[in-house]
Structure formats: C-alpha cells, structure tokens
Amino acid sequence: MKIVNSCIYLLISVLSAQISAQVQDSVLTKEEVVARALESNYGIEIANNQVEIAENNQSILNSGYLPSLLGVAGANYDLNNRTTEPEDGDILEQRGLENNSYNASLNLSYTLFDGLGRFYNFKSLKEQYNLSQLEARETIENTMLQLLSIYYEIARLTENIQVLEETLEVSKERVLRAQYQFDYGQTNNLAVLNARVDVNNDSVILIDTRQQLANSKRDLNVLLNREISAIDFAVDTTVNFIPELQVENFLSTAEANNVSLLQIERNIAISEYDIKISRSRYLPAIGLNGSYGWNRNRSAATAFFPGSTTITDGLSAGVSLNWAIFDGGQTAVQVQNAKINYANQELIREQIELEVERDIANALNNFKNKLYIFRIQEENVATNLDNFERSREEFSLGQIASIEFRQAQVNLLNARTSLNLAKYDAKLAELQLLQLTGQLLNVEL
C-alpha cells in the first residue's frame, strides 16, 4: 500500500512540474488563434479559392463581350506518279511529281447582339461571385465557432486543473494530518486509509483531465494547421460578455446581416437572371466576321500544262443573322423551368426567414439562461467556499469528522468546476447568437 501511494505521489509531482512548466509557456491569445486560422485553416483556404474562381468567372474575359481572333495555318505535300495514255501517241510516264500548298489566315468574329443573353449572364456571374463570398463567410463563421469552442474548452480544462491541483493539495494535507493523529493515538487507521483513497481519487481525476486537455490542444492544432505534438502552450482564460444594449442592436439588424438570408437573396437574383437568359433565345443573334487569308500552291507540270505556283491573299468581311424562329419548344421549356426555380427560391426564402427567426429566439433565450446560470454558480461558489473554510477550521479543531470535511471539499470542487462549465457555456451561447445575427466576425472576442 505504501509503495502504491509513493508511486502516486511521484506521478503527481511529475504532473505538477509539467503544469508549472506550462504556466510559463507562451499564451496563445484568441486574436492569434483567429489570425492563424484565417491564414492556414484548410477549409478557409478552400473557400477562398472558390471565391477566386468566382472572381475569375465574373471577369470581362468570361463575359462574351470581347471579340474572338482565330489564327489558322496549314501545309500539304503530295508526291505522285502519273501515266498519260493518249488515243494516238506515245504513253507518257511521270515519276516523282510534287505538289505542295501553304495557307494561313486570321479570322475575327464578334457578336453584336444575342438577345441580351450575355448581358444577363454577365450580371448572373457577378451575383454568383457575391454568393461565393457569402459562402466563404459562412465557412469562416463555422470554422471560427468550432475553433473558439475548442479554445474555450482548453481554457475550461486549464481552470479545472488548477482547481483539481488545489483540491489534491488539501487532500494530501489531510493524509498527513490523519497520519499524525493516528501516530499519536487520536484516531484509528481507517481515517488514514480514507484520506489516502481520496488522494488517489483526486489524482486519477487530475490525470484524466490533463489527458483531456492534451487532446483538446491537438484538436486546436488540427484546425490551425500546426504541428500536432506542439501542445506546450497556454490559452487566455479571460471571458468577457457583450453588453445587453449591444446585443439588442445586433438583434435589430439580424435580418440584414444573417448570412443564410443574404445567400438566399443572391440565389433569387441569380434565378431571376436565369429567366431573362432563357428568354433571350427568342430574339435573333447578329454577328460580324472578318478574315485575312494567304495561300500558296505549287503544282507539278503535266503532259499538257507546265508547272505553276499560285499565291493569293486578301481580306473578307460579313454580317450574319441567326434567328431560331422555332426550336421545337426547347426555349419555352427552359423559360418555364427557370420560372419554377425562381418560385422555389422564393419559397426557400420564406422557410429560411422562419427558421432564422426561430434560431435567433432560441439562441437568445439559451444565452440568457446560460448567463443566469453562470451568475447563480458564482454565488454558489462563494457559498461553498465559505462553508469549506468553516469546515476546514472546525476540522483542524477536531469539531467535525473527516468525512464531513471531505464532503465540504467535494462540494467546493463541484461548485468551482460547475462555475467554469457555466462560464464557457454562456460564452459559447453568446457566440452562437452572434453568428445568427451576422456579427461573429465583427466583434472583439
């Protein structure tokens, strides 16, 4: 039994030394975490790349407004044998007759009018770019919420470890006191055994919490694209809440800032342009074309004609009109489907508006409840701390039994860990509310 206790004490000493070393480690602030995530998080990088693709798509180079210039060149070579048999006369045989030709041209084409299809397509591409920015913002918001959830979990576990260390120290003092009392015949060996059991239990809880802390730090490193084993850092455990008046202001502008509502507005605009793009096929398309060509042909001599070389070059230009007077009803079907899709987007908007209103109401109520619980837990800690100090004094005077003191110690431990949980639960509830009101990226964390 003494050997086991000695091993436990040694393990706790090593853990305490590691904790002390971590306290001296650099503090990774929330601002640094967010900046690192914006720079290195894989999901955010992918979202930014999608925005870049959409930006390229909405460029004038992808609009159809610029002309196209096509260069064409070619060469042909023929090597033939020819036999000529006139009705009267000798047969003429020719071997190795060579013919070759070369050509080159520049062809310019430009669409003057296409029923306004490219005009509305260009506007649609710009709306798709705006939509991609909102999608990237949504990715960033979700990543930030996940990131801060893990960050605050690290902070909670860090504070819990501090509480558990203090609890363990009190339990170890109790073991020494029980041992002295047993040595002087003031108590039996059962009190010493009970005190040692409590030390063992407190040690196991501390070890388990430290493992949870290490795991959470690795989770944070994954989101930050950092070395997984780099867990020798501390976090800021300071928590500040948004003033109530500021929260009210955020709620009043939630409809204009919620990313889901902004996305559906962009989708509706794109659907409206899709209708106009489909209708453009009812109108004719007018185009210009021009070309400059050069050709060189060299033919071998025949029995009746000598060989010759012909070179031609010149310009040509024209105007074209294309009008699908009837295309079998394909355009009519496309217009009808585009209108149905537009109607669906309107229905989706109504659904999202209701869902966002519900989510904000739930998040607001949840935040208020979590904040209220946090205030109650603060009072609960103060009460249990007072009770613990009184019990500690009475225990030292021998007025209460060891089991009663242990109960006061456990009550204080539970109250302090519950306070830590309530504090960070309230902060996460606030972050969820800020995300729904579209302010998560606009406030100081």
Side-chain angles (χ1 to χ4, degrees):
M1 184 68 179
K2 291 183 178 180
I3 296 176
V4 174
N5 290 332
S6 299
C7 293
I8 293 176
Y9 291 151
L10 178 60
L11 178 59
I12 296 304
S13 299
V14 173
L15 288 174
S16 299
Q18 291 177 347
I19 294 171
S20 300
Q22 279 204 352
V23 172
Q24 299 175 356
D25 292 335
S26 60
V27 176
L28 190 62
T29 66
K30 293 181 282 291
E31 291 75 16
E32 291 172 340
V33 165
V34 170
R36 172 85 183 193
L38 291 174
E39 179 183 353
S40 304
N41 179 265
Y42 288 120
I44 293 178
E45 284 190 35
I46 293 172
N48 289 334
N49 288 339
Q50 294 298 326
V51 172
E52 189 173 349
I53 291 174
E55 184 177 11
N56 293 335
N57 288 338
Q58 59 103 37
S59 167
I60 188 68
L61 300 176
N62 192 45
S63 65
Y65 276 108
L66 300 180
S68 64
L69 183 62
L70 178 65
V72 179
N76 293 293
Y77 175 79
D78 296 328
L79 180 62
N80 300 305
N81 296 324
R82 179 184 298 158
T83 300
T84 303
E85 298 181 356
E87 293 183 0
D88 51 353
D90 297 332
I91 296 175
L92 177 63
E93 291 189 359
Q94 294 176 299
R95 301 286 182 178
L97 297 177
E98 295 183 353
N99 297 298
N100 52 57
S101 64
Y102 305 93
N103 64 83
S105 65
L106 289 175
N107 302 305
L108 179 69
S109 61
Y110 181 69
T111 301
L112 286 176
F113 180 75
D114 65 345
L116 298 178
R118 63 181 173 182
F119 174 75
Y120 292 118
N121 184 65
F122 188 47
K123 286 185 172 294
S124 177
L125 290 174
K126 288 187 174 297
E127 287 295 342
Q128 291 176 32
Y129 169 68
N130 295 334
L131 178 61
S132 70
Q133 287 185 311
L134 292 172
E135 291 172 343
R137 173 187 153 185
E138 183 180 33
T139 299
I140 293 173
E141 287 183 355
N142 291 334
T143 302
M144 289 300 103
L145 192 60
Q146 182 184 11
L147 183 73
L148 291 172
S149 297
I150 297 176
Y151 185 92
Y152 285 126
E153 177 65 7
I154 294 174
R156 184 185 72 85
L157 292 172
T158 299
E159 291 193 306
N160 279 359
I161 286 175
Q162 295 173 357
V163 173
L164 290 169
E165 285 181 321
E166 295 174 9
T167 302
L168 181 60
E169 288 301 318
V170 172
S171 296
K172 290 163 71 174
E173 292 175 4
R174 186 166 139 246
V175 170
L176 293 177
R177 179 179 177 80
Q179 186 65 52
Y180 288 148
Q181 290 177 337
F182 174 72
D183 292 340
Y184 288 99
Q186 296 177 356
T187 184
N188 54 31
N189 193 39
L190 181 60
V192 178
L193 294 176
N194 287 335
R196 288 176 177 173
V197 168
D198 292 336
V199 167
N200 293 342
N201 291 334
D202 293 343
S203 301
V204 170
I205 296 173
L206 178 60
I207 293 171
D208 183 62
T209 305
R210 175 155 289 280
Q211 180 63 48
Q212 294 177 35
L213 177 62
N215 292 343
S216 297
K217 287 185 175 182
R218 295 188 187 97
D219 291 339
L220 185 65
N221 286 338
V222 170
L223 289 178
L224 298 180
N225 192 17
R226 283 164 39 108
E227 182 68 31
I228 298 298
S229 59
I231 59 174
D232 53 343
F233 64 88
V235 297
D236 183 9
T237 58
T238 303
V239 172
N240 297 313
F241 295 101
I242 302 296
E244 184 176 354
L245 182 60
Q246 191 173 2
V247 172
E248 293 296 332
N249 292 334
F250 291 160
L251 292 172
S252 63
T253 59
E255 186 174 350
N257 294 313
N258 179 272
V259 69
S260 297
L261 292 176
L262 293 175
Q263 283 180 353
I264 190 60
E265 291 296 335
R266 301 282 70 77
N267 280 322
I268 289 175
I270 292 172
S271 297
E272 188 174 4
Y273 286 131
D274 287 342
I275 296 175
K276 295 177 180 180
I277 292 171
S278 298
R279 284 175 175 171
S280 69
R281 296 184 60 184
Y282 285 129
L283 299 176
I286 301 175
L288 292 177
N289 57 81
S291 67
Y292 170 77
W294 174 85
N295 292 275
R296 182 180 184 275
N297 294 288
R298 186 178 71 85
S299 59
T302 66
F304 308 101
F305 299 99
S308 64
T309 299
T310 304
I311 299 176
T312 61
D313 66 289
L315 296 170
S316 64
V319 179
S320 62
L321 172 67
N322 296 309
W323 193 351
I325 298 176
F326 181 70
D327 62 356
Q330 294 182 5
T331 299
V333 171
Q334 289 182 3
V335 171
Q336 291 173 1
N337 290 341
K339 288 181 178 179
I340 294 172
N341 184 59
Y342 177 81
N344 284 340
Q345 295 298 326
E346 290 281 3
L347 294 173
I348 293 174
R349 176 171 61 180
E350 294 179 5
Q351 180 183 8
I352 291 178
E353 286 176 348
L354 287 175
E355 291 176 349
V356 169
E357 183 179 359
R358 176 206 61 194
D359 292 343
I360 290 178
N362 290 344
L364 178 61
N365 189 56
N366 184 52
F367 171 57
K368 289 181 177 180
N369 288 340
K370 296 294 185 182
L371 198 57
Y372 179 71
I373 293 172
F374 170 58
R375 303 305 182 197
I376 291 178
Q377 291 295 349
E378 284 184 319
E379 297 177 1
N380 192 31
V381 167
T383 302
N384 278 278
L385 182 59
D386 181 60
N387 179 63
F388 172 75
E389 294 298 338
R390 290 173 180 269
S391 299
R392 191 174 195 175
E393 182 178 354
E394 293 177 357
F395 178 68
S396 63
L397 297 174
Q399 296 177 354
I400 62 173
S402 174
I403 190 171
E404 294 177 288
F405 175 69
R406 175 62 178 178
Q407 186 60 49
Q409 182 188 19
V410 170
N411 290 342
L412 179 59
L413 170 64
N414 292 337
R416 294 179 67 182
T417 55
S418 296
L419 174 63
N420 291 337
L421 179 61
K423 178 173 66 173
Y424 293 109
D425 277 351
K427 187 60 182 179
L428 292 178
E430 179 191 77
L431 294 177
Q432 292 169 352
L433 180 60
L434 290 174
Q435 182 187 26
L436 288 169
T437 57
Q439 301 295 336
L440 181 60
L441 305 180
N442 301 329
V443 298
E444 184 178 354
L445 300 173

